[in-house]
Amino acid sequence: MFDLEIINATIVTSTQRFRGSISIENGKIAAISNEPLRNAKRSINAEGLVLVPGMVDQHVHFMDPGETSREDFIHGSTAAAMGGVTTVVEHTHGVPVRSVKAFREKNEHLKNRSLVDYGLTAHAFPEDLGNLKALWDDGVLMFKIFTCTTHGIPTMNNDQLYRTFEEIASFDGTCLVHCEDDAITEGNETRLKAASRNDNGIISEWRSETAEEIAVANVALMARLTGVKATIAHISHPLVVDLIKREQAEGARLYGEICPQYLFLDDQTVAEKGPFAKFTPPARSADKAEKLLEMINSGSIQLLSTDHAPSTVQQKLSKSIWECNFGLPGVETTLPMMLNLVNQGKITLERVIELYSEMPAKVLGIYPQKGCIMVGADADLVLLDMNHKWTINNEKIHSKSGWSPYDGTEIVGKPMYTLVRGNVVVENGGVVGEPGSGKPVTRYKNNSITSKAHDPVLADK
Ligand SMILES: [Zn+2]
């Protein structure tokens, strides 16, 4: 007898759509059948609902341990569960993981603090080259690298970056690179401050498109030269995608990551909302946002994540536009915002699953344990009501920040049930899971072979 059976669902994966039932045993998918097997202790009737694999959000900041007045793992992972996210990959700039000791201590700290499964990203500091392999072997899922001094994390110059890429490539690790050129953002800042500028317009001018382009061109070239597997974090405009494509075509093992704020917000929002639309790189023009959606649909962008980095309203308002924290809350609203696009006919649900579940799991090496629906995979599943009409409301946000940049947006489509390894953590649109039910995720063992065959997209070429 199985533990749980989800019956009469419309099952959608990145490549398939069929009516069926899924049986779960010991946290794993034990059977997928067209007709219900009716042999389980509990059954969920999913008539009218769509069953998809749980989302894998590879870029969130839960500030825990760290500035837990902004967010913590309990609130952040609750928001994730409500947003149909069953695995998060987290890093916190305030308390960066730089050693095996810190990695183990953080895992120990988080033992009873998450509703969803989690992996951790370590920070690669210029002077930490010698620690990276040990961190990788101990289970960090990727390394975060900065080309500019931001959020208190130091920049890497070209020499440091090149040697770090060589080192990560030597053990076939992977990294997520924040790309803005340090000299250009610094020059912009000096000139804007000399002109006594304090208006919201500084965000776009300070963190310019040029700063991002120069850094991406550099990082993409270095990725090709060193052979490192790298993701360009938070792409804000189309030229960046073209720069990535150019190096992909030459053999670079590169992926591009998009976040919802580059699709749903624009430079007008940044100018109007100031601190509440301050993140970097910033949102660009509305026509560029539209072009990015086309690039997602054509396959030129491979990954979707949130870059969830909240602050409370009070924290955003307590400092000048220069000094207040970068970042937005979003892990609860990313999938709903995308479901809205699906209902508007602007993207398929299959493509959303590929971008936000399957591809991140593959790039991180946790597929097919995560990011798919198949027998033997973790029963990380989400039931969607694609017809449910609701409005995003600051008062109902589960993140500690207590607000959303999409407050007031009318949405069609909602995650109603979220299961993490067969545990129901969201039921009928409400939280039922307890902190501690989420477990650390480690790389799938069969996937740790050093081979290009394990690079999604590139392997297909
Ligand atoms: Zn980030």
Side-chain angles (χ1 to χ4, degrees), residues 53-94:
M55 302 303 130
V56 176
D57 201 319
Q58 63 152 16
H59 188 165
V60 303
H61 308 280
F62 287 169
M63 323 286 176
D64 190 359
E67 287 180 88
T68 47
S69 61
R70 292 175 64 180
E71 185 67 294
D72 62 23
F73 239 90
I74 294 175
H75 286 81
S77 67
T78 304
M82 285 295 292
V85 174
T86 50
T87 301
V88 293
V89 182
E90 198 272 350
H91 62 289
T92 292
H93 303 311

Side-chain angles (χ1 to χ4, degrees), residues 59-61 91 93 144 146 151 176 178 233-234 307-309:
H59 188 165
V60 303
H61 308 280
H91 62 289
H93 303 311
K144 181 66 179 285
F146 278 84
H151 318 305
L176 177 68
H178 180 123
H234 35 52
D307 195 7
H308 178 87

Side-chain angles (χ1 to χ4, degrees), residues 219-288:
V219 164
L221 175 61
M222 279 202 213
R224 166 157 64 94
L225 296 177
T226 59
V228 77
K229 186 162 144 184
T231 295
I232 304 292
H234 35 52
I235 292 165
S236 78
H237 65 286
L239 179 53
V240 170
V241 181
D242 292 337
L243 293 169
I244 295 169
K245 279 172 76 173
R246 192 173 73 184
E247 293 301 342
Q248 283 171 332
E250 296 296 323
R253 301 162 75 193
L254 271 178
Y255 304 95
E257 173 198 75
I258 190 80
C259 309
Q261 48 270 37
Y262 303 108
L263 302 175
F264 303 111
L265 307 180
D266 59 34
D267 48 5
Q268 293 290 107
T269 334
V270 176
E272 280 163 31
K273 303 256 169 95
F276 299 99
K278 186 190 175 197
F279 46 91
T280 199
R284 313 295 186 184
S285 67
D287 61 313
K288 286 178 181 161

Side-chain angles (χ1 to χ4, degrees), residues 179-398:
C179 295
E180 290 181 288
D181 185 85
D182 204 46
I184 294 178
T185 53
E186 213 176 278
N188 291 340
E189 180 176 351
T190 305
R191 286 183 289 276
L192 288 161
K193 284 185 172 166
S196 302
R197 289 273 304 276
N198 270 312
D199 58 285
N200 295 342
I202 62 130
I203 300 170
S204 302
E205 291 180 53
W206 173 21
R207 318 303 299 201
S208 63
E209 291 184 8
T210 313
E212 188 182 358
E213 289 151 10
I214 299 289
V216 169
N218 199 41
V219 164
L221 175 61
M222 279 202 213
R224 166 157 64 94
L225 296 177
T226 59
V228 77
K229 186 162 144 184
T231 295
I232 304 292
H234 35 52
I235 292 165
S236 78
H237 65 286
L239 179 53
V240 170
V241 181
D242 292 337
L243 293 169
I244 295 169
K245 279 172 76 173
R246 192 173 73 184
E247 293 301 342
Q248 283 171 332
E250 296 296 323
R253 301 162 75 193
L254 271 178
Y255 304 95
E257 173 198 75
I258 190 80
C259 309
Q261 48 270 37
Y262 303 108
L263 302 175
F264 303 111
L265 307 180
D266 59 34
D267 48 5
Q268 293 290 107
T269 334
V270 176
E272 280 163 31
K273 303 256 169 95
F276 299 99
K278 186 190 175 197
F279 46 91
T280 199
R284 313 295 186 184
S285 67
D287 61 313
K288 286 178 181 161
E290 221 164 281
K291 178 79 182 145
L292 285 174
L293 183 57
E294 281 173 31
M295 292 176 132
I296 287 175
N297 281 322
S298 69
S300 301
I301 294 172
Q302 293 82 34
L303 298 160
L304 171 70
S305 76
T306 294
D307 195 7
H308 178 87
S311 298
T312 63
V313 170
Q314 168 70 26
Q315 285 165 336
K316 280 282 195 187
L317 292 174
S318 66
K319 290 179 182 161
S320 76
I321 193 68
W322 285 104
E323 298 298 321
C324 70
N325 291 328
F326 287 108
L328 298 176
V331 72
E332 185 168 359
T333 50
T334 295
L335 181 61
M337 291 294 282
M338 296 308 291
L339 296 182
N340 224 16
L341 284 187
V342 171
N343 273 315
Q344 290 164 2
K346 293 182 179 170
I347 191 169
T348 63
L349 183 57
E350 286 83 345
R351 182 73 184 126
V352 173
I353 293 165
E354 192 175 15
L355 285 162
Y356 198 26
S357 178
E358 183 180 309
M359 281 296 288
K362 284 183 172 176
V363 172
L364 293 163
I366 59 174
Y367 182 92
Q369 180 191 346
K370 306 291 189 190
C372 68
I373 292 180
M374 59 172 87
V375 171
D378 284 355
D380 293 349
L381 301 166
V382 175
L383 281 166
L384 306 169
D385 181 347
M386 290 303 290
N387 302 313
H388 188 93
K389 288 194 176 72
W390 60 293
T391 303
I392 295 177
N393 180 343
N394 282 348
E395 284 169 21
K396 292 187 176 158
I397 288 294
H398 290 78

